[in-house]
Amino acid sequence: MARATVFLALCFAAAQSAGAVTFAVPSKAGTGGYAYAPLDPAPIGISFEFFAFPSYVANVTGTNQCLANWKDLTGVWPPIRIGGTTQDRAAYDATTPAYVVYSVAKAADAPATLTFGPKFMTLAGTYAGTVVVGLNRGKNNIENTIAAAKVAVAEIPNLLAIELGNEPEYWVKDKQPIASGTWNPATDAASQNDWNIRVGNAVGKMNIIQAGNWNDAPPAWGAAQLIATENTTVKQYVRHFAHHNYPGGSVQKLMTHPTTVKSIQVFDADIAAVRRTGREYVFGETNSVSGGGAAGVSPTFGAALWTMDYSLRAAFNNMSRTYFHHGTVGNCQYCFWGRRTMGAPYYGAHAAVALMAGASYLTALDTGKTNYAGYASFDASGTPLRVLLYNSDYFSGSGSRTSQSFTLTGLTPTATALRAKRLTAASASSRADQGNDISFGGQYFRNVTCAAGGTETYETAAVAGGQATFSLQATEALLVYLQ
């Protein structure tokens, strides 16, 4: 596909400096009055809808390369989770030679029922990164689930956890058998505790369960209420807690920085409750708009910038990992990639991975109350590595495109220049799957293969007196390299 050259010029006009947003870069993690979060080696991962997982691996060429691109940045394969609504429609069949067996009226549909065999787990076991597998609790057939769990443990060397049931708060509506009587947070908690013990005991593994997995917001459906019901026995089987989240809204609302900050703060008390137990908290399934995404929102560059900002703010708020969900192949507006085209959100996730790659700590340099954001990452010794700047002012593509200056202070006195890579597109509505130009540091990701194309481009900014100023257009981000 022919691609136009994307405008990458970095302006340093003195006239803009008077209105610059100023961020002081700490000389060391733990200083400067900022809060700091420890980082997982691979904080951004992918969630695959249960029935679609084999297709993503076997039939979608770009899957391995898209994941490998992040491994090349971090040195660690990104984590994956296999689950979703169809995990609670799935029954294990030890006799089937197929990965999955189901029928649908249209290829874009998700199956109402399905079976899966041992090869499903063997396929998951070929992945070099950590794997979370979601199994059926809704059908209330624990013997079948235990049989599947035993195969998962045997066939997946990098199995991180098993989750038992997906979004149980909806099971009454879904007419799941386990919720045929009274079903509320308390009865779900009792069910989770019972299944966690029985499955953990059956597979002979401690710290093997990903508990929670709700979508409704805490505290009603949250980790704190579940933890309060756990006895000593169940605690030894729970590795970490997960929640799901789909903020939704228009492109402009979604990508606006203060809105993103508020959407993450909803989980602060729940995260704190889990952290007090010494366990991790993750977004086990999340993306822009539920139900596979919204056509006018999820595939856009604005959603890409949201993906970037959202995953970084989640990490800063002590979310260990964020798994972005990928649904039905060919019917997934928020997917990062598909069979034939790339999705814009992949670019935002890639920029966030680039900021956190090899880092041990992250801080937010902004208060979260304006449209202008800054994040800084630090290595294991606390030395600053990179800063990401984000102008979340909305640009629709019509009229004049505003710009905002950002000044970084506290830079190394001996530094004379900094390199930077720009994440940019023509507007918030630009879509990679429709051939619109989106680039990160002058590069794009090729359709079908997910291989990087174009020439990697670094912009240069002068440093004087320990300061450097950058200009970002509305709806743009910039990754600044401090080393």
Side-chain angles (χ1 to χ4, degrees), residues 220-241:
W221 296 93
Q225 60 86 15
L226 180 57
I227 290 168
T229 70
E230 291 181 335
N231 61 24
T232 303
T233 304
V234 71
K235 286 178 180 177
Q236 64 187 342
Y237 291 111
V238 176
R239 187 193 186 281
H240 57 262
F241 292 83

Side-chain angles (χ1 to χ4, degrees), residues 260-283:
T260 297
V261 171
K262 289 176 183 177
S263 75
I264 298 294
Q265 288 173 339
V266 169
F267 299 91
D268 281 353
D270 220 34
I271 294 171
V274 170
R275 289 291 181 177
R276 284 194 292 271
T277 72
R279 299 189 185 103
E280 297 175 332
Y281 197 101
V282 305
F283 270 148

Side-chain angles (χ1 to χ4, degrees), residues 340-361:
R340 299 176 182 86
T341 58
M342 288 300 299
Y346 184 77
Y347 289 79
H350 190 79
V353 170
L355 172 71
M356 295 187 286
S360 296
Y361 306 99

